[in-house]
Amino acid sequence: MIEHLTFIHFEKEPDPEKQAELIEKIKAFKVQIPGVIDAQAGKNFSEGYDFGLSVRLENKQSFDVYMDHPKHREVATLLNEMGMSDFSVVDFECS
């Protein structure tokens, strides 16, 4: 399995409705993108980044499909529209 983690900073506090839309779009990955086992997202409640998401995928091939999938690109566009100013990504294999 592959774990894909993304940590996000926004220029300013995002609109709560847009943030809820973002979370729902990310959670929908598990039924919209082949190979996605689970997808979670939420606003950070402690220090550090403003928002985080995790996507668990079946394997490296599923990861490659996910990265190029239109629904993934749609979320990336939404993040930019919401004022994403910085992000960090960690991808690793897990069992």
Side-chain angles (χ1 to χ4, degrees):
M1 280 187 286
I2 302 292
E3 193 73 29
H4 172 67
L5 306 173
T6 305
F7 309 99
I8 298 160
H9 277 301
F10 291 106
E11 294 171 2
K12 60 181 183 171
E13 181 73 22
D15 175 74
E17 288 181 17
K18 281 286 188 193
Q19 202 161 345
E21 175 188 353
L22 175 64
I23 290 168
E24 290 308 309
K25 285 181 179 288
I26 292 167
K27 288 182 174 185
F29 286 167
K30 57 187 159 190
V31 295
Q32 296 173 330
I33 303 176
V36 172
I37 297 167
D38 190 36
Q40 298 295 324
K43 180 179 176 178
N44 186 11
F45 60 83
S46 64
E47 293 182 39
Y49 286 89
D50 303 314
F51 190 87
L53 68 97
S54 67
V55 179
R56 183 164 283 186
L57 301 116
E58 291 176 357
N59 52 38
K60 179 69 169 72
Q61 181 181 2
S62 298
F63 174 81
D64 293 340
V65 169
Y66 163 79
M67 290 302 291
D68 197 40
H69 197 279
K71 292 295 183 182
H72 177 253
R73 290 195 306 268
E74 183 180 305
V75 164
T77 299
L78 180 57
L79 283 164
N80 286 318
E81 290 171 357
M82 292 172 64
M84 179 174 63
S85 60
D86 186 30
F87 69 96
S88 291
V89 175
V90 176
D91 300 306
F92 59 91
E93 290 186 74
C94 56
S95 52

